[in-house]
Amino acid sequence: MNVAKNLKYFFILPGVLSLAAVIALGVWGLRPGIDLSGGSLVQVTYQGTRPPVQQVQKITEPLNLGEVRVQPANQAGYIIRTRALTNDEHTQVLAVLGGLGSMKEDQFTTVGPTIGSELLQKAWIAIVLVVLCTIVFIAFAFRGVSKPVQSWKYGIVAIVTLLHDILVPAGLFAALGHFAGAEVDALFIVALLTILGISINDTIVVFDRIRENLRINEDRGKREEFDQVVGRSITQTIARSINTSMTVIIVLAALYFMGPAATKYFALTLIVGMIAGTYSSIFLASPLLVAWQKWAAKK
């Protein structure tokens, strides 16, 4: 694979997706679920045909519950999110919903704003720790590699690709939150951390093959341009990376289409992150190393 010849083309798709994700996050932002922002969730199922969404919103307005989000669930149910409800308010909500037809309550959950804020804070701490530990680990693991790219640069490039891998699903959910009312919750944070782990694994596989090929060239006294070493390393690992990712994506697709509603967004986050991570591990991380090496050589 001629990395140097196609260098600029590798960066087009990640650049466009990352820019679109940043714009979506800046304009719409993410809609936090109740486990991150606090509040109450009531899920009900009607025995017959469920009433229209507008009617559910209308009958809950007199209860003074603040912002009420009504989301269809399954074939005949609704998920209603409000501020934290007292026991009396919970009873009133069930009473007015029952006035629209025969129904049963499937779930009621309340999370205080303090707990939600604490979960969000810990989530950011976890992501930052993952990033820092990744840089330290890669710099240590590749300490024997100093030419033509220093070991710490492998860590920086890996973090850049990881940012791309979590930006893409985050931007998607910003758009889904605006157009479809999708909310991010603790499972979304778990999915992002999972994406970080899987993506960095694929990236290190390619980097390790680059390191091995550089060592072999040095032992044999063979002179080879760095971009040629990278291209050969990508060719040697591309089939493994794609096959591994596809097996995981197939399982996640089955979970998305046939699994419970509670895990659909979790599966979707992982699917998008896996696709973005597979691309970036092969066509972004290594070309970035080549681009950095060429820039440093010219400087």
Side-chain angles (χ1 to χ4, degrees), residues 84-262:
L85 301 177
T86 64
N87 291 332
D88 291 339
E89 289 173 334
H90 175 216
T91 303
Q92 291 175 358
V93 170
L94 292 181
V96 297
L97 292 176
L100 298 177
S102 178
M103 63 90 187
K104 66 173 183 177
E105 183 182 36
D106 299 321
Q107 180 184 0
F108 175 66
T109 305
T110 296
V111 177
T114 301
I115 297 177
S117 176
E118 182 180 355
L119 283 173
L120 187 60
Q121 182 181 9
K122 288 183 177 179
W124 282 115
I125 292 175
I127 292 176
V128 171
L129 285 177
V130 168
V131 170
L132 293 177
C133 290
T134 299
I135 294 177
V136 173
F137 170 76
I138 294 180
F140 176 79
F142 287 79
R143 63 191 183 280
V145 181
S146 59
K147 294 180 181 180
V149 176
Q150 292 84 355
S151 61
W152 61 270
K153 291 184 179 180
Y154 286 83
I156 298 299
V157 168
I159 295 308
V160 172
T161 60
L162 288 182
L163 290 176
H164 162 268
D165 297 343
I166 62 175
L167 261 180
V168 172
L172 173 65
F173 269 80
L176 288 176
H178 178 72
F179 293 106
E183 297 179 342
V184 298
D185 52 14
L187 280 179
F188 179 77
I189 304 299
V190 172
L192 290 185
L193 292 173
T194 304
I195 291 168
L196 291 178
I198 296 175
S199 178
I200 196 62
N201 176 71
D202 288 341
T203 303
I204 288 180
V205 167
V206 182
F207 283 179
D208 192 59
R209 184 54 60 93
I210 294 173
R211 177 180 62 173
E212 183 67 16
N213 286 330
L214 288 173
R215 185 187 64 80
I216 292 174
N217 286 349
E218 184 176 357
D219 292 343
R220 296 177 178 176
K222 179 181 178 181
R223 296 193 61 182
E224 188 178 18
E225 294 296 329
F226 183 64
D227 60 315
Q228 295 177 340
V229 175
V230 171
R232 183 155 52 89
S233 302
I234 293 175
T235 302
Q236 292 169 348
T237 57
I238 186 171
R240 174 204 177 277
S241 298
I242 293 178
N243 291 338
T244 302
S245 299
M246 282 304 301
T247 55
V248 178
I249 291 173
I250 290 172
V251 175
L252 292 172
L255 178 63
Y256 177 78
F257 289 108
M258 294 182 287

